[in-house]
Amino acid sequence: MSKNYVQIDLKDNIIVAITPLEKGTVTTIQGTDIILKETIKQKHKFALNDFAIGDEIFMYGVLIGKAIEPIQAGCAITIDNVKHASAEFQDSKEKFTWSAPDASKFEGRTFNGYHRKDGKVGTGNYWLVIPLTFCENRNVDVLEGALSEKLGYETKKDFAVDTDALINQYKSGASKEAILNTPIITTKEEMTKNRIFPNVDGIKFLKHDGGCGGIRQDSETLCKLLAGYIANPNVAGATIFSLGCQNAQIEMLQNALDAINPNLDKPVHYLEQQKSESERQLIEEAVKHTFLGLIEANKITRQPAPLNKLVLGLECGGSDGFSGISANPALGYASDLLVALGGSPVLSEFPELNGVEQEIINRCETEEDSKKFYDLMRAYSAAAVAVGSGFENNPSPGNIKDGLITDAMKSAGAAKKGGTSPVTQVLDYTEQVTKPGLNLLCTPGNDVESTTGLVGSGCNVVVFTTGLGTPTGNPVAPVLKMSSNTHLFERMNDIIDINAGTVISGEDTIESMGEKILDHIIKVASGEVASKAVLHGNNDFIPWKRGVSL
């Protein structure tokens, strides 16, 4: 894709500028010469033919907008001359066939993961500390202060000062010179190497602002989400703080856990403050139970596991005009490879499937799932309209600035993350992945809310494509950031893991890049390579309150 411009689909009547194109440039598309009537910015689009008001505009082979003023061939497509439009869809599906990609390079490959008694395999081994209501966030903070740094886990400090060493020297009668020569600085890297429990990757503290107030359904949904985190194969066990009087009761969480797996064999310790003798007693009990849980979790070691144990979250955020032609389709090819190997990729962000609904409905294996997807999309869209918004308001200022001017245009590119395989299961928010193959999960388009939902439904690793850059991570699953363009990768290499910009430059094809992505996923899943989000401690966790969140 090393040309200066590209027509993505033969049905498209707008063309993508791969590089900045000056006014007067002659472009040739399907044998026809078009002279640019104005300068076209990189990642933006120009008209292949003349448009009258109301004419339909296609990209990725689907309807993405309509002209709201006359546009001449060779002129830029902008928010001033195009408005959002998307294709109608119905719940009945057409016949769909799929040819799986050649996954022979990965046959027999394994990753080293943490095997759980329910048959799932984790890519990490974490202990969770969870408040059932925001009233307990302070106690969670106290527990974090008592445990994390002392046990060699993640700290917000770049280094630690060991004042105890000086105190011990003083008490032993050491000289002034001996005290001055006593090392007291420990780096973050040294603290990590000195973990008390080397087989436990961390203690994660899932603070939130829910659990009480609001509507009861939000607390029920929160408990289902938290249950999903506890059941996630990357988690060894959990310590739960309850105030006692909140909407999100302990029994509600226990029922949610039973619904996922009534025989779930993980230690979960519940502490209710209003039943405790004092806050000090509550914290003391929490520290001791958590410490004992860490002792048990440390007994689990990484062992080989087949690739069909990977549950891969497919996410995007900070998208640009290249996301849909490099990073997203490359991730889609990796998704297809994983499906061919028996794994379970999961595509979320339903507002960013607007305009490609019929294609997805056709890909659903069952009539039940096609209707479920249809109903979820209709209900979500109606909820957005009811509060004076709509899917057309999904693109952010950053998206628009970098060439994604309608939601349907953004969605058509975002959907490429899901590859081309059949949809084996459609899930509403917090429902669990139980079938191999491509799963659809209803979440908002909001990056962190969506990633939070993916992991809550069972994903043990996430790949997050971006064209503008984002530091987003997750407390439980490694989140691999992949850039759509090389400029971003070079500029934000400290937070980006993979560069798909080589697809734009022509160094890689979609297929070769997809294979590289899957290979990198295997290394991260095995603990051989840490994601940048894990290294930086990006533990973003935002539960979706089931109002409208776009």
Side-chain angles (χ1 to χ4, degrees):
M1 199 185 296
S2 56
K3 291 176 64 177
N4 295 332
Y5 52 90
V6 64
Q7 182 185 33
I8 297 172
D9 188 280
L10 291 177
K11 191 177 180 180
D12 294 357
N13 50 20
I14 59 175
I15 308 302
V16 184
I18 300 301
T19 63
L21 301 174
E22 296 295 326
K23 178 180 179 180
T25 299
V26 178
T27 62
T28 303
I29 295 95
Q30 296 185 41
T32 300
D33 290 343
I34 299 169
I35 301 174
L36 299 185
K37 294 179 175 60
E38 56 187 305
T39 296
I40 309 298
K41 294 185 287 187
Q42 185 184 44
K43 307 178 188 178
H44 287 251
K45 291 84 187 171
F46 62 89
L48 176 60
N49 49 256
D50 293 343
F51 295 106
I53 294 175
D55 282 352
E56 294 182 335
I57 296 174
F58 290 84
M59 184 175 171
Y60 301 104
V62 300
L63 176 66
I64 58 89
K66 290 185 178 181
I68 55 176
E69 63 179 41
I71 308 170
Q72 289 184 303
C75 287
I77 300 297
T78 71
I79 57 173
D80 297 318
N81 57 24
V82 172
K83 69 174 182 178
H84 166 84
S86 59
E88 290 298 319
F89 61 98
Q90 54 190 9
D91 59 356
S92 60
K93 59 190 297 294
E94 300 173 5
K95 184 178 180 181
F96 176 77
T97 57
W98 182 61
S99 297
D102 180 7
S104 57
K105 290 183 180 179
F106 296 92
E107 288 178 2
R109 288 279 297 274
T110 61
F111 71 98
N112 286 324
Y114 296 95
H115 292 247
R116 306 299 178 189
K117 292 182 179 179
D118 60 2
K120 298 178 181 178
V121 181
T123 64
N125 191 31
Y126 294 98
W127 189 273
L128 299 184
V129 178
I130 300 174
L132 283 181
T133 172
F134 55 82
C135 301
E136 291 298 310
N137 282 346
R138 177 184 175 276
N139 288 328
V140 173
D141 285 336
V142 173
L143 204 65
E144 182 175 9
L147 294 173
S148 285
E149 191 173 315
K150 288 288 186 181
L151 298 179
Y153 292 114
E154 160 181 312
T155 173
K156 295 179 177 66
K157 302 176 183 176
D158 290 326
F159 60 88
V161 180
D162 185 10
T163 308
D164 288 342
L166 299 181
I167 294 172
N168 291 334
Q169 286 281 56
Y170 169 73
K171 287 182 176 179
S172 67
S175 65
K176 177 181 178 180
E177 183 179 354
I179 290 174
L180 287 173
N181 289 327
T182 300
I184 60 170
I185 299 297
T186 305
T187 67
K188 185 182 287 189
E189 291 73 21
E190 289 171 332
M191 285 187 279
T192 300
K193 290 178 181 177
N194 295 329
R195 285 179 180 171
I196 304 301
F197 303 111
N199 295 322
V200 179
D201 295 309
I203 311 170
K204 300 297 181 175
F205 304 85
L206 304 188
K207 291 191 295 181
H208 55 82
D209 64 357
C212 203
I215 59 176
R216 294 297 175 93
Q217 291 93 326
D218 279 342
S219 291
E220 292 171 1
T221 299
L222 175 66
C223 284
K224 291 177 181 177
L225 178 72
L226 296 176
Y229 269 73
I230 295 168
N232 190 288
N234 290 5
V235 172
T239 301
I240 311 297
F241 279 108
S242 169
L243 178 59
C245 57
Q246 75 278 350
N247 287 340
Q249 290 285 300
I250 288 176
E251 184 181 9
M252 190 181 290
L253 176 62
Q254 291 172 330
N255 289 339
L257 277 169
D258 285 342
I260 292 173
N261 183 353
N263 300 312
L264 188 68
D265 189 10
K266 289 184 181 181
V268 182
H269 304 291
Y270 298 93
L271 301 115
E272 189 164 299
Q273 186 164 10
Q274 290 172 347
K275 290 183 178 179
S276 65
E277 296 176 6
S278 65
E279 190 174 77
R280 290 183 180 182
Q281 186 267 337
L282 179 80
I283 294 299
E284 180 179 7
E285 186 178 352
V287 169
K288 289 178 179 177
H289 277 299
T290 302
F291 194 85
L292 289 173
L294 292 168
I295 292 174
E296 293 304 308
N298 192 55
K299 295 176 182 177
I300 305 170
T301 59
R302 290 185 182 270
Q303 302 293 333
L307 298 186
N308 63 17
K309 296 296 184 180
L310 290 175
V311 184
L312 172 63
L314 309 170
E315 183 66 32
C316 64
S319 300
D320 72 344
F322 285 163
S323 292
I325 58 179
S326 61
N328 289 347
L331 179 55
Y333 188 77
S335 169
D336 285 346
L337 287 171
L338 187 59
V339 170
L341 294 163
S344 305
V346 187
L347 180 64
S348 58
E349 301 179 292
F350 274 27
E352 297 181 10
L353 298 178
N354 179 219
V356 295
E357 294 97 336
Q358 194 62 56
E359 176 199 335
I360 290 174
I361 287 170
N362 292 341
R363 288 166 59 183
C364 288
E365 286 191 331
T366 68
E367 295 287 349
E368 180 184 2
D369 275 327
S370 65
K371 187 176 187 309
K372 184 175 182 179
F373 177 70
Y374 174 93
D375 290 342
L376 285 168
M377 288 297 288
R378 289 295 191 200
Y380 202 152
S381 178
V385 171
V387 295
S389 188
F391 286 165
E392 67 271 15
N393 294 319
N394 179 267
S396 69
N399 295 150
I400 295 168
K401 181 181 177 182
D402 258 43
L404 300 177
I405 64 169
T406 74
D407 184 57
M409 179 188 290
K410 180 180 178 181
S411 295
K416 298 292 183 184
K417 301 191 304 293
T420 61
S421 68
V423 174
T424 59
Q425 191 172 28
V426 175
L427 306 169
D428 200 357
Y429 185 66
T430 74
E431 290 184 332
Q432 299 295 299
V433 175
T434 59
K435 293 182 180 179
L438 178 64
N439 285 246
L440 298 184
L441 174 66
C442 183
T443 73
N446 178 288
D447 304 348
V448 178
E449 285 180 321
S450 181
T451 304
T452 298
L454 282 166
V455 178
S457 288
C459 292
N460 53 14
V461 62
V462 177
V463 175
F464 189 122
T465 67
T466 181
L468 304 176
T470 172
T472 300
N474 182 268
V476 165
V479 177
L480 303 173
K481 253 66 65 60
M482 178 165 61
S483 64
S484 70
N485 61 89
T486 300
H487 175 68
L488 172 63
F489 181 72
E490 292 174 344
R491 185 166 49 84
M492 301 184 74
N493 185 253
D494 56 331
I495 64 171
I496 305 291
D497 300 270
I498 308 169
N499 176 30
T502 51
V503 173
I504 300 295
S505 63
E507 299 163 69
D508 271 300
T509 62
I510 295 297
E511 293 76 16
S512 66
M513 191 68 236
E515 291 178 350
K516 289 179 181 179
I517 294 166
L518 183 53
D519 189 64
H520 197 94
I521 290 169
I522 294 168
K523 291 176 182 176
V524 169
S526 298
E528 297 173 18
V529 177
S531 73
K532 301 291 179 67
V534 168
L535 291 174
H536 289 295
N538 295 116
N539 296 312
D540 304 307
F541 179 79
I542 303 180
W544 182 21
K545 292 182 178 178
R546 198 58 182 271
V548 175
S549 179
L550 293 176

